[in-house]
Amino acid sequence: MTTKVPEALRPYLKKRWLWTVSCVAAAVLLFTVAWNVECEKPVDLRELPVRAQEFLSEHYPGEMPALAIRELDDLRITYEVTFRDGTNVKFRRNGQWQKIDSRVRPVPGAVVPPQIKSYAEYTFPGMEITEIEHEGGYYEVELANHVELTFDDKRFALRDYDCLLYTSPSPRDRTRS
């Protein structure tokens, strides 16, 4: 059964439809702008979550970070701490580490899950872990030889192996440019 709209109300129906569409469009636009907003603000180390402060004092004792930043990216709050040697440690809002990137020294051994550490030591003897990231159900590890390994965070099974070896251009390629 359909209801007939009286002739007197028909002009208002068009306006109501236009108003609804414009409200939805404005909401989508505002959400898109808010989603893409990135804010970075330097913070004092005491403003970091307690768990992050404890992590830094345990794994980087006696070292003073050069910079601590609070970031709002993709509607998520994260903290990034940078040391003088270029080591970066990224924390989630609750203070749990998310990513450690260190090109000068290895990632602290206590941070790396033992299954991943033993696999890396057995498969790539003498190679240190220089980067580790824990995100979305996996661990991604980069070794000093630029090999990237991706592990499942439940069973620690290897999911991906990526070799990022840099090859220098041959002398013949240099003469072409």
Side-chain angles (χ1 to χ4, degrees):
M1 181 168 146
T2 58
T3 311
K4 251 187 157 183
V5 178
E7 286 296 322
L9 296 178
R10 285 189 191 261
Y12 298 109
L13 262 176
K14 290 179 184 176
K15 289 180 184 178
R16 183 175 175 188
W17 178 83
L18 182 63
W19 186 81
T20 304
V21 168
S22 62
C23 284
V24 169
V28 168
L29 179 67
L30 286 174
F31 183 74
T32 304
V33 168
W35 188 267
N36 290 318
V37 168
E38 294 182 17
C39 298
E40 292 183 356
K41 175 184 159 192
V43 294
D44 190 54
L45 290 177
R46 293 174 293 213
E47 294 178 50
L48 293 174
V50 175
R51 197 168 173 185
Q53 292 177 26
E54 292 170 352
F55 179 90
L56 293 174
S57 64
E58 179 183 342
H59 297 290
Y60 298 96
E63 293 190 49
M64 190 63 177
L67 180 65
I69 294 177
R70 179 181 185 257
E71 296 177 337
L72 174 64
D73 188 18
D74 294 338
L75 301 176
R76 291 187 207 144
I77 295 174
T78 58
Y79 296 90
E80 189 170 331
V81 176
T82 305
F83 290 94
R84 290 186 181 99
D85 66 356
T87 299
N88 287 322
V89 183
K90 191 171 186 175
F91 297 98
R92 292 181 177 90
R93 183 165 79 197
N94 65 0
Q96 182 179 358
W97 70 269
Q98 180 178 355
K99 182 177 182 178
I100 302 171
D101 185 5
S102 177
R103 300 289 175 214
V104 178
R105 57 181 163 185
V107 170
V111 174
V112 181
Q115 298 92 329
I116 294 175
K117 185 190 287 186
S118 65
Y119 180 88
E121 288 173 352
Y122 179 76
T123 311
F124 302 95
M127 283 296 130
E128 298 172 329
I129 296 175
T130 57
E131 183 178 330
I132 186 168
E133 180 176 5
H134 184 215
E135 183 78 36
Y138 67 90
Y139 283 95
E140 189 171 300
V141 174
E142 185 175 331
L143 304 176
N145 62 354
H146 302 290
V147 170
E148 284 186 1
L149 306 170
T150 305
F151 295 89
D152 184 301
D153 74 345
K154 303 281 187 256
R155 298 178 300 125
F156 296 99
L158 186 65
R159 290 176 48 191
D160 191 25
Y161 172 91
D162 192 11
C163 186
L164 301 172
L165 293 178
Y166 171 76
T167 56
S168 61
S170 68
R172 196 173 84 176
D173 292 338
R174 282 188 228 138
T175 58
R176 289 183 190 168
S177 7

